[in-house]
Each structure stands twice: as structure tokens, then as C-alpha cells.
Amino acid sequence: MIAYIDGHVLEITDNACVIRTGGGVGYEIFLTGPALGRLPEREGQARFFCATVVREDALELYGFDTWDERETFLVLTSISRIGARTAMNILTVFRPDDLRDLIAADDPLSLTRVSGIGKKTAQQIFLDLRYKLKLTSSMPGAALTGTCAGSVLKDAVAGLMNLGYPEDESINVVKKALADEPDLDVGEALRAALKLMAKSRG
């Protein structure tokens, strides 16, 4: 896996650049909007921490100014609803510390500022993101998120209510999900509760 590249800028596109390294090899690296704006002129030196994303039809490199930003990208792409391009869109709007601030403030709707993310998707992403960032203890400030997380029951119920379900029904179904599997985290409890609701309505 390529984790760091240091070289000279050959070309710049709308969402990527080509970096030439030693030996005459050039790498296409996808960047966030702010990183693209900070690129030097062609033949200027640039360096990035990188994450490698392997898809069925491509192997892509994504570049970041800091290791923290790279690690946050990996956390984002570990969420089932977020692909690499959406993660880059999120990091174009929010720095890693901005995301932690959203979590500390319990403010999922700010994620709707990202192109393509609506209210319900923002709520769903937020639930997973909060706990994944909390568990990534190597990230500065991660401990802060734990102080605002609350109980799994409370947060999963809040998630269902934000999706439009009644409070009483939400409480009952989350309690049933946790009774069946007590070790669920919030994201897992929410998904289990939604499955129970769908089953009862089927």
C-alpha cells in the first residue's frame, strides 16, 4: 500500500493531480478541494499522505495533507453508505476537527452541507461516524466524542425518531433489539431495530 508520496506536480485536473516521483514514475492522486487549491505551479514540489482504494475496475490513490485527515478518510469509507468520492466531498467541507466538533455538539444535520447528503442520510451517517471516531483512539480529540455519546438505547431511539418513527414504538423496538443482542453499538442497534420494524409491518 502506498502511504506517502513526495514529488513534483506534472498535471492538475478538477479533482486530482499527477505527481512525478524518483525514477520517472507518475501517480494520479485525488485530492479534496482545499488541497487542490494549495497545489504549487507545475514542476513545484508536493507531498501527500495517501490512502489506496481498490475497486473492481480501478486502483485509486487519495491524497491528504495530514495523517489525521488520511485516518479520518479511512473511518469515513468504513461506513457502508460512504464511498471514497463522498468521503472526499465530506473532507472538502469539514476538516477532521470540524467533524469532531459536530459529534461533540450532537449536530448531524450540518452534514447536509455536503453535496448529495440529505437529512435522513446525514442522520444515518452520523450514528456510525460518532462511534467509529470514538473508537479510533489514535486520532487527536477522539476521547471527546465519548463524553457526548450517551447510552446505546437513548441514541438509537433518537435516531429512529429523527427518521420519523414515534417515540413509544422506537423505545419498544430498540429495547427488543438490545434484549436479543445486548452488545450492539448504536449503529448496529439502529439497523436491528429497523429490521424488526420492517418484519412487524410485513
Side-chain angles (χ1 to χ4, degrees):
M1 177 183 292
I2 298 171
Y4 181 78
I5 284 179
D6 186 341
H8 296 274
V9 177
L10 287 182
E11 293 292 340
I12 301 172
T13 67
D14 290 340
N15 61 352
C17 68
V18 178
I19 300 292
R20 183 186 66 234
T21 61
V25 177
Y27 295 92
E28 182 180 30
I29 303 175
F30 294 95
L31 302 172
T32 64
L36 280 166
R38 290 190 293 270
L39 281 173
E41 297 293 328
R42 286 177 176 80
E43 294 302 329
Q45 189 167 21
R47 54 182 64 88
F48 297 103
F49 294 104
C50 294
T52 305
V53 175
V54 180
R55 300 189 291 120
E56 290 183 3
D57 58 346
L59 189 153
E60 298 175 332
L61 285 177
Y62 293 82
F64 309 94
D65 291 327
T66 67
W67 187 258
D68 186 17
E69 193 175 27
R70 176 189 184 272
E71 293 297 286
T72 303
F73 171 83
L74 295 177
V75 169
L76 288 169
T77 54
S78 73
I79 296 172
S80 61
R81 304 165 194 86
I82 300 181
R85 300 302 172 90
T86 301
M88 295 299 277
N89 288 341
I90 291 173
L91 289 172
T92 289
V93 177
F94 299 105
R95 297 171 303 174
D97 281 343
D98 294 332
L99 291 174
R100 295 185 190 107
D101 288 344
L102 293 186
I103 292 168
D106 196 20
D107 180 20
L109 293 186
S110 285
L111 289 171
T112 59
R113 290 166 53 192
V114 179
S115 176
I117 295 181
K119 182 178 177 180
K120 286 189 176 181
T121 302
Q123 296 280 2
Q124 293 166 348
I125 290 172
F126 186 84
L127 288 170
D128 280 341
L129 180 61
R130 175 166 55 187
Y131 283 86
K132 287 179 180 291
L133 282 177
K134 182 187 73 170
L135 293 173
T136 310
S137 58
S138 63
M139 295 171 63
L144 175 65
T145 66
T147 64
C148 302
S151 70
V152 171
L153 173 62
K154 176 183 174 183
D155 291 339
V157 168
L160 289 175
M161 292 176 63
N162 285 330
L163 294 173
Y165 294 100
E167 182 177 6
D168 289 344
E169 182 182 14
S170 298
I171 291 172
N172 290 334
V173 75
V174 172
K175 283 184 176 179
K176 186 176 188 319
L178 291 174
D180 294 338
E181 298 182 77
D183 295 328
L184 296 177
D185 65 25
V186 171
E188 292 167 341
L190 182 58
R191 286 190 288 273
L194 289 170
K195 288 180 181 178
L196 289 172
M197 284 181 167
K199 185 175 180 181
S200 68
R201 286 170 166 77

